[in-house]
Amino acid sequence: MFNIKTLILSILSLAIVSCGYQLGGTKPPQIEFAKTIKVCLFENNSLEPRAGTLLSGALADEIQRDGTYSLSTTGKADVRLEGTIKSISFDQLRSSRDDTYKSIEYGLRMEVEYRIVDAKTNKVLYTNSVEETGEFYDSGNIQTARTSALSYAARLVATSIAECLTNG
């Protein structure tokens, strides 16, 4: 009786293993060899100050949180993550009932292009672009709300980039 249980358990284990599931992320084929990554400061082509710093910091946090890659310095990294913030735009989503020129809700859209570069050969291995949006409300202090929305959009972009790099 013990042999039958062992045989059934072995067959079930083999069936589960052969279904194609695997633990951990699936890196894009171009960067499967990479274990360490350096996140460079993103170039900021928008008019928003500190946007490149916000995005680079959020991206480093997200990559570190995921754990697929180790953060490294320029000399020790297998690949470098470089990018450009192409644009940040603000749109009116909702206006006041009393005055249609007065915005109540705004939308923020951030467009980013990024590339993975081999640290030793400087060859571009992978390129992609991401666009994310966020909303914020005019609740008295529009500048604080706008800064918070920019930080939120940077986190969304960082999460999208990290998912592309770790899950293909």
Side-chain angles (χ1 to χ4, degrees):
M1 188 67 175
F2 179 71
N3 290 336
I4 294 175
K5 285 183 183 179
T6 306
L7 179 65
I8 291 173
L9 185 61
S10 299
I11 291 172
L12 284 175
S13 298
L14 184 61
I16 290 172
V17 170
S18 66
C19 288
Y21 294 107
Q22 68 181 37
L23 296 176
T26 307
K27 298 177 188 177
Q30 304 91 328
I31 57 173
E32 279 183 331
F33 70 93
K35 290 184 175 49
T36 59
I37 190 168
K38 178 183 185 332
V39 178
C40 299
L41 183 62
F42 273 60
E43 183 181 339
N44 184 8
N45 289 344
S46 74
L47 298 176
E48 287 297 314
R50 296 184 22 235
T53 307
L54 280 172
L55 181 56
S56 297
L59 195 48
D61 289 346
E62 197 63 37
I63 288 172
Q64 192 172 19
R65 184 177 302 119
D66 179 80
T68 301
Y69 302 97
S70 297
L71 293 177
S72 185
T73 59
T74 303
K76 297 179 182 178
D78 296 328
V79 293
R80 289 189 319 266
L81 175 58
E82 302 172 347
T84 304
I85 298 174
K86 299 304 280 183
S87 69
I88 297 173
S89 59
F90 296 91
D91 301 314
Q92 178 185 21
L93 298 181
R94 193 168 18 153
S95 63
S96 171
R97 290 183 185 175
D98 302 330
D99 183 3
T100 56
Y101 291 113
K102 182 177 181 344
S103 298
I104 293 176
E105 184 179 2
Y106 297 89
L108 180 145
R109 185 176 65 240
M110 182 184 281
E111 297 176 52
V112 176
E113 291 179 352
Y114 66 94
R115 62 199 162 277
I116 299 292
V117 179
D118 189 320
K120 292 169 183 44
T121 65
N122 287 329
K123 180 183 173 189
V124 176
L125 302 173
Y126 181 77
T127 60
N128 202 355
S129 61
V130 175
E131 181 179 314
E132 292 291 345
T133 59
E135 297 88 26
F136 63 100
Y137 297 92
D138 183 0
S139 58
N141 188 345
I142 191 72
Q143 189 60 40
T144 302
R146 192 173 165 150
T147 302
S148 295
L150 181 63
S151 177
Y152 177 68
R155 289 254 173 231
L156 290 176
V157 168
T159 301
S160 294
I161 293 173
E163 285 177 358
C164 283
L165 296 179
T166 58
N167 297 326

